[in-house]
Amino acid sequence: MFDPALLKLLQLSDSALPIGSYSHSWGLETWVQQGQLSSSDELLAVLRTLLEQSIAPVDGLACAMAYQASANRLGGPDFIQLNQILTATKWAKEPQRASLDLGRRLVSLAQRLDWLQELPPGQYWHHCTVFGWLTYQLNIAIEPAVTAYLLSNLMSLTSAAVRLIPLGHSQGQQVLAALHTQVFEQARWCCATAGRADPLTHLGSFTPQHELACQAHQNLYSRLFQS
């Protein structure tokens, strides 16, 4: 059966989507240059930790909350506040700017594709909130949307690691496949938490070494990636 929503979700979560995500390493370049990330086993450990301690409880949850905001249309302030909190949470300059740039470019692309029925409230949007807002408008169910968002983040990180370490493409795919169960579990947690009365109280991460790596990236002697 033809499912246009599924096709759009697959296209949105493709790492080749022309919004610039392939040009960011999100701090991995720092660790590779420092010799702290040099194998597929280390990459698997890093991605599992980032997924469970940072990506899902911040951007994944925000994606689910933005989906709910798009579904409920409960005015702009809640959505605007969510983006403001994300900006404050992402204190390292490069990933903060990258997240906002990707959000802006995704809005622009969605408009050109005629996929965006209604602009998100406010003027500044993070990638995760635009993804959540847009997937509701495309009639994509919340759990597949958030699952795809989390996996696309890991795909972007894996793509950067394959080029940086370097790794074989098959090794990168093995790392991603090993994380499927965690991706599904974290997506379910994000969706369930977004439906609570106080989801903002659950939004937060604790990955100080990764945040320091992101901040240190701008001072590396040579860089292949923007963040």
Side-chain angles (χ1 to χ4, degrees):
M1 183 180 296
F2 176 62
D3 187 351
L6 173 61
L7 293 180
K8 289 172 182 175
L9 179 60
L10 292 172
Q11 188 171 345
L12 276 176
S13 55
D14 189 342
S15 59
L17 195 73
I19 59 174
S21 60
Y22 52 81
S23 64
H24 298 277
S25 80
W26 310 102
L28 296 190
E29 188 167 21
T30 301
W31 281 339
V32 171
Q33 287 202 22
Q34 292 175 346
Q36 298 181 54
L37 179 59
S38 58
S39 70
S40 59
D41 288 341
E42 290 173 347
L43 176 62
L44 176 59
V46 165
L47 295 189
R48 179 178 286 119
T49 299
L50 291 180
L51 172 64
E52 296 179 349
Q53 300 297 326
S54 178
I55 298 172
V58 177
D59 295 276
L61 177 54
C63 179
M65 291 173 63
Y67 184 102
Q68 297 282 24
S70 185
N72 297 331
R73 299 292 201 278
L74 294 178
D78 289 341
F79 186 87
I80 294 171
Q81 181 189 29
L82 177 59
N83 281 278
Q84 290 172 338
I85 290 173
L86 286 170
T87 300
T89 300
K90 300 176 185 297
W91 64 269
K93 294 180 180 178
E94 288 185 346
Q96 180 193 93
R97 184 174 63 247
S99 180
L100 289 167
D101 286 345
L102 295 182
R104 173 178 52 81
R105 292 170 190 157
L106 183 54
V107 167
S108 178
L109 177 63
Q111 287 179 304
R112 291 198 298 272
L113 295 173
D114 198 26
W115 284 2
L116 198 58
Q117 302 170 21
E118 180 181 340
L119 273 175
Q123 296 179 316
Y124 303 100
W125 317 288
H126 286 272
H127 179 226
C128 56
T129 60
V130 174
F131 196 98
W133 182 272
L134 178 59
T135 47
Y136 172 78
Q137 296 201 6
L138 294 176
N139 296 315
I140 298 166
I142 186 170
E143 282 201 12
V146 177
T147 302
Y149 176 78
L150 294 179
L151 182 62
S152 69
N153 272 256
L154 297 180
M155 290 169 63
S156 179
L157 287 166
T158 301
S159 175
V162 164
R163 287 172 279 171
L164 284 167
I165 291 176
L167 295 175
H169 289 284
S170 295
Q171 288 178 294
Q173 293 302 311
Q174 288 175 325
V175 169
L176 285 171
L179 292 167
H180 282 182
T181 299
Q182 285 84 0
V183 169
F184 179 69
E185 291 174 349
Q186 292 300 315
R188 293 190 67 182
W189 176 86
C190 291
C191 295
T193 305
R196 295 181 181 179
D198 57 346
L200 278 176
T201 63
H202 300 276
L203 193 150
S205 67
F206 187 72
T207 52
Q209 290 185 344
H210 179 243
E211 292 174 344
L212 289 172
C214 290
Q215 183 68 8
H217 181 266
Q218 61 191 328
N219 297 318
L220 293 181
Y221 178 74
S222 62
R223 294 178 293 172
L224 297 176
F225 292 85
Q226 294 183 45
S227 69

